[in-house]
Structure formats: C-alpha cells, structure tokens
C-alpha cells in the first residue's frame, strides 16, 4: 500500500511539473560548439522563436565546445531530466560514436529526441588559383595532381572535416587533411592559396563565393539551391559524382527520462517555432532549409539519426581519425 501511495505521489508530482512547465524558469540550450559559429547562430535564432510558444520565458544559450561536440552533449546527458536543459547539436550526433573513443554517453539511449530543426547545404570550393572553371575540369586537375592536394577543415569532427572525408571516400582519392581551429582561419588560408580545397556549409562559404574570393564548383544537395547567389551551382550528382549528398542538420534533444508531458510541450513548441516566419527568414539568410518533414516528430528524428550513424561509421573508421 505504501508503495502504491509513493507511486501515486510521483505521478502527481510529474503531472504538476508538466502542467506548470516551464513555470517562469529559464530554459538552457547547450550548444557544443564555440559562440559565433553556424550552430550557435541557429541556436540563438531558435531560442528566440521558442520563447513565445513556451510562455514567453527566457531561453539561454550555453556554449560548451570541445571533443567533437561530446563535452557539451555529455553535460546534457548528465543534466536533471526536467526539460530545463536541452541540447542543440548538428550531424555530430551521428559521428561522435565513431570519432570519440570512450564516449561517456550513448547517442541512441541517453537522450530524448525532440525533432530536427533544419538542413544546411554544403559547397565544394577551392583556392582562386586552381585552373578549373567547372567540376569536370576540377576532377581533371585532381587526377593530374594526385598525392599533392590538401583539403582544409575546421577541426576533427567539424562539418568541413566530415564532408571532406565523405568526398574522398566517394571519389576514391586521398588528400592531405589540414585541420584548423575553426572555419575562419581555414577560409583565410584557402583565399590565400595555402590550402587547395574546402567543403563547408553555405553559412560560411556564401559570402566568399559572392565576393569572388574563392571558386565554387557544386553543392551537396539532391537539388540545386533556390538561393539567388548559389542557384547556378550544379549539384555534385548532376556534375558527375552520383549519389553524393550531405547536409549538416541540426536537432534538439533532452536528457533521457524527461517526463513525457514535458517532452510533448517541448515538441509542440518546436513545431510552432519551425513555422515562425521570422525564424524561417533568418534561416534562409544562413542558407539553411527549415525542416518540415517527418523528422520534426521525435520518432522520425531518432530513426533519421540511427540511419546517419550507420552511414558515417564505416567512413570515419576507415579514415582512422579521432576527436580526442
């Protein structure tokens, strides 16, 4: 009888918590990357869009970078499962299981999945001095310079690192990877001719492409982009590299064990935020496409991440490069 009373008390407490959530208390979104980067910008835009559907309360961003995003993700996995600490992470959720040995959490079982937020296309760009004006000429140049080409990235586990790995795997070429502490120095050296190639998010590359400071050859999406400044770029698939697709998606997560009613409130708020015209406009300015498909539901989100883990694991293991 005492046990039944205890369980009933717990159920009442959980129900009251869910009914009051967020009850005027600030919600923190942990971003496992440095402030000012693409994921940080998405998080800050999302935080603003979530405020109204969550009752107008404060949504705080907490930047916890390091180890391919695993430090920030681990912080959320250990957090009290009450809905007040969330994680916004990108494709790293599918790659840290392979990139980080002795990972202190399990992606598929230590989090509650709240929904995919957006997809950010990637662009393949080069230093200005490469004697190629289209992707076919670029492949000829790559073949003629086998063993001499380097490809930059913003560090192990970064979007540019992952795209570079997939590109080398798909083209069966080996290039020297040159890691930097962030995208900005990588692009600076690309413009200066110190590195040859870079595959990175439109959020980082579009201004340089527009300014003519780098050469752009293709986008990594199934269809051409609608962005006016990039609409003439072919997809890698139509340029000749068949079935090459990669986008940097972002998803929202809560610690495992967060009460189901709280999860529903968070998912409902997310779906409202994803339809917010101002949020959509801000994402378009970043070159991102706001999610509208089944991945905005928790089950669809988790299924998608599981598929992405299966996609990236053999590629990362073959490269033998780790984030720690």
């Amino acid at each position: 009888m005492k046990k039944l009373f205890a369980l009933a008390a717990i159920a009442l407490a959980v129900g009251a918590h869910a009914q009051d959530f967020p009850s005027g208390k600030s919600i923190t979104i942990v971003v496992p990357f440095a402030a000012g980067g693409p994921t940080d910008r998405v998080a800050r835009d999302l935080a603003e869009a979530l405020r109204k559907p969550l009752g107008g309360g404060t949504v705080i961003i907490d930047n916890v970078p390091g180890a391919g995003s695993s430090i920030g993700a681990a912080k959320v996995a250990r957090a009290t499962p009450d809905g007040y600490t969330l994680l916004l992470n990108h494709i790293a959720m599918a790659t840290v299981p392979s990139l980080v040995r002795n990972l202190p959490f399990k992606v598929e079982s230590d989090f509650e999945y709240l929904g995919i937020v957006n997809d950010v296309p990637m662009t393949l760009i080069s230093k200005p001095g490469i004697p190629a004006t289209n992707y076919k000429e670029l492949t000829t140049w790559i073949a003629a310079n086998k063993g001499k080409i380097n490809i930059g990235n913003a560090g192990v586990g970064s979007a540019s690192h992952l795209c570079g790995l997939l590109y080398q795997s798909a083209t069966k070429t080996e290039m020297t990877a040159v890691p930097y502490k962030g995208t900005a120095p990588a692009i600076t050296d690309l413009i200066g001719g110190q590195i040859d190639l870079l595959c990175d998010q439109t959020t980082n590359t579009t201004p340089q492409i527009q300014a003519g400071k780098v050469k752009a050859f293709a986008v990594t999406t199934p269809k051409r982009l609608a962005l006016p400044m990039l609409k003439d770029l072919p997809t890698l698939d139509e340029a000749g590299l068949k079935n090459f697709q990669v986008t940097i998606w972002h998803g929202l997560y809560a610690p495992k064990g967060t009460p189901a009613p709280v999860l529903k409130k968070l998912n409902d708020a997310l779906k409202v935020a994803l339809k917010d015209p101002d949020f959509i406009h801000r994402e378009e300015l970043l070159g991102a496409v706001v999610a509208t498909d089944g991945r905005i539901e928790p089950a669809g989100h988790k299924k998608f991440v599981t598929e992405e883990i299966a996609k990236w694991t053999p590629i990362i293991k073959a490269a033998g490069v780790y984030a720690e």
Side-chain angles (χ1 to χ4, degrees), residues 18-74:
Q19 185 175 4
D20 294 340
F21 180 83
S23 68
K25 184 179 176 182
S26 297
I27 293 174
T28 297
I29 298 179
V30 173
V31 176
F33 301 98
T39 300
D40 179 67
R41 292 174 67 183
V42 171
R44 292 178 190 277
D45 288 345
L46 181 64
E48 183 61 30
L50 284 170
R51 286 182 68 253
K52 187 174 180 179
L54 286 175
T58 304
V59 183
I60 299 169
I61 302 300
D62 180 18
N63 297 95
V64 186
S69 84
S70 63
I71 295 176

Side-chain angles (χ1 to χ4, degrees), residues 27-249:
I27 293 174
T28 297
I29 298 179
V30 173
V31 176
F33 301 98
T39 300
D40 179 67
R41 292 174 67 183
V42 171
R44 292 178 190 277
D45 288 345
L46 181 64
E48 183 61 30
L50 284 170
R51 286 182 68 253
K52 187 174 180 179
L54 286 175
T58 304
V59 183
I60 299 169
I61 302 300
D62 180 18
N63 297 95
V64 186
S69 84
S70 63
I71 295 176
K75 180 176 181 177
V76 176
R78 296 191 302 265
T80 302
D82 55 9
Y84 290 101
T85 303
L86 308 176
L87 171 71
L88 183 84
N89 202 356
H90 65 24
I91 195 172
M93 287 298 275
T95 59
V96 288
S98 301
L99 279 171
V100 178
R101 291 170 289 191
N102 303 314
L103 193 67
F105 58 84
K106 294 182 179 179
V107 169
E108 294 178 89
S109 59
D110 287 347
F111 297 93
E112 303 287 357
Y113 289 66
L114 294 171
I116 290 292
V117 175
N118 67 12
D119 293 287
V120 183
M122 308 285 281
T123 44
L124 181 64
I125 60 177
S126 80
K127 64 183 181 182
I130 284 183
T133 58
N134 55 50
Y135 184 70
K136 183 177 180 180
E137 291 177 0
L138 178 67
T139 58
T140 300
W141 179 83
I142 290 173
N145 290 274
K146 188 176 181 180
K148 302 176 184 178
I149 298 169
N150 55 48
I151 184 166
N153 64 63
V156 175
S158 65
S160 48
H161 174 235
L162 298 171
C163 189
L165 286 180
L166 187 62
Y167 183 72
Q168 291 177 77
S169 174
T171 58
K172 296 180 173 57
T173 58
E174 290 187 12
M175 302 177 187
T176 301
V178 182
Y180 290 83
K181 293 182 179 180
T183 300
I187 288 183
T188 296
D189 274 9
L190 185 74
I191 293 171
Q194 280 75 46
I195 55 175
D196 301 315
L197 299 174
L198 182 68
C199 182
D200 204 5
Q201 302 173 72
T202 52
T203 46
N204 295 321
T205 62
T206 300
Q208 314 305 328
I209 295 170
Q210 280 186 286
K213 294 181 178 179
V214 298
K215 287 189 174 183
F217 294 95
V219 296
T220 63
T221 46
K223 298 180 181 178
R224 292 195 182 201
L225 302 181
L227 291 169
M229 65 288 289
L230 300 178
K231 64 181 178 63
D232 293 329
L233 277 182
T235 68
L236 276 170
D237 185 88
E238 69 176 289
L241 186 56
K242 297 301 180 183
N243 301 315
F244 187 96
Q245 297 176 20
V246 57
T247 57
I248 302 303
W249 43 266

Side-chain angles (χ1 to χ4, degrees), residues 251-274:
L252 193 64
Y253 308 81
K256 187 69 175 180
T258 301
V262 174
L263 293 175
K264 185 177 187 311
K265 281 194 172 184
L266 288 167
N267 178 252
D268 287 345
L270 175 62
K271 286 188 279 193
V272 171
L274 297 182

